[in-house]
Amino acid sequence: MTNPATLAVGDSALPRKFGPMTRQMFVKYAGASGDFNPMHYDDDLARGAGNPSVFSQGMHQTALLATFATDWLGAVNIRRFQVRFQNQVWPGDILTCSGTVVGVNESKEGAVVTVDLTCTRQTGDVAISGSADFAVSAP
């Protein structure tokens, strides 16, 4: 974990890869989250709806991106986290999570580091983008 107090605008975390994503991962996430939409585990149904196969739950990628961010800057320091779903994730996809510091600001509660976060497929398509705020503790 990096101490947010040591960061400056433009600093980045080392990217982290997840995958290749599998149908088994989608089913395990469904069990953990309670999201049993059959589009995530029933190939026939997913193809019948016009998709090439089943696809991952958007919150699954969100969880991976949140893990990346909190491993980087500490779960205890997180103050805000938001994402936007942009592209679906398919079996076989390899996801890369990355983050860059875009702000270091003072607030009533102390200094806050703002980071932009991205979860990208191996194709270059962004699966999820987002941002988060982390409290800065004394170095």
Side-chain angles (χ1 to χ4, degrees), residues 40-115:
H40 303 302
Y41 61 84
D42 186 331
D43 249 345
D44 291 336
L45 186 81
R47 288 188 174 129
N51 297 295
S53 72
V54 296
F55 53 90
S56 180
Q57 301 88 342
M59 291 304 291
H60 188 181
Q61 293 78 256
T62 301
L64 298 175
L65 191 59
T67 297
F68 164 79
T70 56
D71 284 353
W72 177 27
L73 298 171
V76 69
N77 297 321
I78 197 160
R79 297 297 180 264
R80 181 187 62 83
F81 179 80
Q82 68 180 47
V83 296
R84 180 183 182 119
F85 300 161
Q86 296 192 6
N87 283 286
Q88 290 174 309
V89 170
W90 308 98
D93 276 354
I94 297 173
L95 304 176
T96 302
C97 293
S98 60
T100 301
V101 176
V102 295
V104 180
N105 300 297
E106 290 294 323
S107 73
K108 289 187 290 188
E109 294 81 31
V112 173
V113 170
T114 300
V115 296

Side-chain angles (χ1 to χ4, degrees), residues 11-12 20 29 35 46 48 55 65 69 79 124 131:
D11 287 347
S12 298
Y29 185 81
D35 180 354
F55 53 90
L65 191 59
R79 297 297 180 264
S131 66

Side-chain angles (χ1 to χ4, degrees), residues 18-31:
F18 294 91
M21 305 300 285
T22 66
R23 288 171 172 78
Q24 184 180 31
M25 289 172 165
F26 304 164
V27 170
K28 286 182 175 180
Y29 185 81

